């Protein structure tokens, strides 16, 4: 049965989509069958995997609205990651689902037939707490949190932990924290080191040993429709995500952190 992991942080620009694409592609390289669900109306995870959302008959929007099954909306990208695409239509789902009963459960129910088809299902969430993010968290077993090691990132982390707690208490009691990933890390920056130590002190083994450095190849790769591990496999960023995939596969199932 697939493990469903939301990749989320309510703060933007911390590497959620970069992590979603490259971790998914890295796990494919390690022999895993992966589904990546793009829950952001910007559709960056879709494009970053080399899928043109305008050429897809059904997207996650159609799935949430009950107009297509999950199977109908899944396409296999050139990098081997199966993708449930998003485009600008997804922004409308927030309004269209507003008065629908059980709107928070739409994605969870849609994924039930796909549970045995994949090893991991990753959900790339938008940087906001809305009906799309709530659908992702309700459908997930755990949350992977990418974050920059800077002061304001800690404040955003507190808000996210509070959100996870509320979702666990009301809609999804199994929801746990998969791990915290330090992204865009600059070891020359004193503050980065201090924030990193605070994370390790508070979250312990929930902080991945893998650290993703600032790396221009990670930023360039999406414009070519490729994960960095295909675009620049020898880059430090690509090697970091392969390391993260190995670390994830080597870990036992983590226990929930008290939020």
């Amino acid at each position: 049965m697939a493990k469903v992991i939301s990749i989320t942080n309510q703060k933007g620009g911390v590497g959620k989509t970069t992590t979603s694409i490259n971790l998914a592609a890295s796990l494919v390289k390690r022999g895993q069958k992966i589904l990546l669900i793009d829950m952001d109306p910007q559709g960056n995870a879709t494009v970053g995997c080399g899928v043109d959302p305008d050429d897809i008959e059904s997207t996650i929007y159609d799935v949430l609205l009950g107009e297509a099954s999950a199977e109908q909306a899944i396409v296999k990208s050139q990098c081997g990651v199966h993708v449930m695409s998003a485009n600008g239509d997804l922004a409308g789902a927030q309004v269209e689902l507003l008065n629908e009963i059980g709107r928070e459960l739409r994605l969870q129910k849609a994924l039930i037939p796909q549970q045995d088809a994949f090893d991991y299902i990753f959900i790339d969430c938008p940087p906001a707490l809305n009906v799309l993010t709530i659908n992702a968290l309700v459908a997930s077993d755990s949350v992977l949190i990418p974050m920059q090691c800077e002061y304001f990132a800690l404040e955003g982390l507190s808000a996210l932990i509070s959100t996870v707690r509320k979702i666990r208490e009301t809609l999804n009691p199994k929801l746990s924290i998969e791990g915290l990933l330090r992204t865009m890390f600059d070891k020359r920056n004193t503050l980065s080191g201090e924030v990193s130590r605070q994370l390790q002190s508070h979250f312990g083994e929930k902080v991945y040993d893998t650290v993703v450095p600032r790396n221009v190849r990670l930023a360039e790769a999406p414009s070519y429709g490729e994960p960095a591990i295909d675009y620049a496999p020898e880059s430090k960023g690509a090697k970091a995500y392969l390391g993260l995939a190995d670390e994830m596969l080597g870990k036992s199932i983590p226990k929930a952190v008290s939020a």
Side-chain angles (χ1 to χ4, degrees), residues 36-41 43 46 56-70 72-74 83-87 89-91 93 97 106-107 110-111 123-124 132 135:
L36 174 57
I37 301 173
D38 192 346
M39 284 290 278
D40 191 332
T46 299
I56 304 301
E57 291 187 10
S58 300
T59 67
I60 184 62
Y61 168 82
D62 302 295
V63 174
L64 293 175
L65 271 293
E67 297 173 0
S69 67
Q72 291 172 318
I74 294 172
V83 180
M84 196 180 296
S85 306
N87 57 24
D89 292 342
L90 186 57
L97 291 173
R106 293 294 183 97
L107 182 60
L111 290 181
I123 308 173
D124 181 38
L132 301 177
N135 258 273

Side-chain angles (χ1 to χ4, degrees), residues 1 4 10 15 17 21 30 46 70 98 102 112 116 119 180 209 234 245:
M1 179 175 289
V4 184
Q10 289 166 229
T17 300
I21 295 168
R30 296 301 190 243
T46 299
L98 192 60
I112 291 174
D116 293 327
D119 296 301
L180 282 79
D209 294 332
E234 296 303 313

Side-chain angles (χ1 to χ4, degrees), residues 3 22 39 51 58-59 100 121 125 129 136 161 178-180 189 193 209 244-245 248-249:
K3 185 166 190 177
N22 287 286
M39 284 290 278
V51 177
S58 300
T59 67
E100 295 292 325
I121 297 175
C125 299
L129 182 59
I161 295 297
E178 181 74 18
L180 282 79
N189 188 316
D209 294 332
L244 177 62
M248 179 173 284
L249 291 172

Side-chain angles (χ1 to χ4, degrees), residues 8-226:
T8 186
N9 191 321
Q10 289 166 229
K11 186 178 186 301
V14 298
K16 292 186 301 297
T17 300
T18 297
T19 297
S20 298
I21 295 168
N22 287 286
L23 177 56
S26 295
L27 285 166
V28 167
K29 297 286 187 186
R30 296 301 190 243
Q32 303 293 295
K33 190 173 183 181
I34 307 298
L35 171 62
L36 174 57
I37 301 173
D38 192 346
M39 284 290 278
D40 191 332
Q42 296 181 82
N44 290 335
T46 299
V47 175
C49 285
V51 177
D52 184 347
D54 294 327
D55 289 341
I56 304 301
E57 291 187 10
S58 300
T59 67
I60 184 62
Y61 168 82
D62 302 295
V63 174
L64 293 175
L65 271 293
E67 297 173 0
S69 67
E71 184 178 8
Q72 291 172 318
I74 294 172
V75 296
K76 188 175 182 180
S77 67
Q78 289 187 346
C79 66
V81 176
H82 291 75
V83 180
M84 196 180 296
S85 306
N87 57 24
D89 292 342
L90 186 57
Q94 299 179 62
V95 177
E96 295 178 60
L97 291 173
L98 192 60
N99 297 315
E100 295 292 325
I101 296 174
R103 59 186 179 275
E104 302 93 348
L105 308 175
R106 293 294 183 97
L107 182 60
Q108 180 190 59
K109 292 179 178 178
L111 290 181
I112 291 174
Q114 299 302 316
Q115 287 290 328
D116 293 327
F118 298 95
D119 296 301
Y120 287 92
I121 297 175
F122 293 111
I123 308 173
D124 181 38
C125 299
L129 182 59
N130 53 31
V131 68
L132 301 177
T133 302
I134 292 174
N135 258 273
L137 296 178
V138 172
S140 295
D141 298 302
S142 58
V143 176
L144 192 159
I145 307 170
M147 61 177 296
Q148 290 180 263
C149 289
E150 58 180 31
Y151 174 74
F152 290 115
L154 289 175
E155 291 190 342
L157 178 60
S158 297
L160 179 56
I161 295 297
S162 177
T163 297
V164 170
R165 182 193 305 119
K166 290 175 183 176
I167 295 293
R168 188 162 60 225
E169 291 173 350
T170 58
L171 293 166
N172 182 5
K174 69 181 179 180
L175 186 65
S176 66
I177 296 176
E178 181 74 18
L180 282 79
L181 176 67
R182 292 162 288 176
T183 60
M184 304 182 209
F185 191 83
D186 185 352
K187 62 183 179 181
R188 300 168 297 177
N189 188 316
T190 302
L191 180 60
S192 292
E194 176 59 30
V195 172
S196 178
R197 286 188 289 273
Q198 289 185 40
L199 289 174
Q200 291 172 309
S201 175
H202 185 71
F203 291 97
E205 65 180 15
K206 287 294 180 178
V207 180
Y208 287 107
D209 294 332
T210 301
V211 177
V212 180
R214 286 192 177 277
N215 183 251
V216 67
R217 300 303 183 197
L218 288 175
E220 290 175 349
S223 64
Y224 291 89
E226 292 183 317

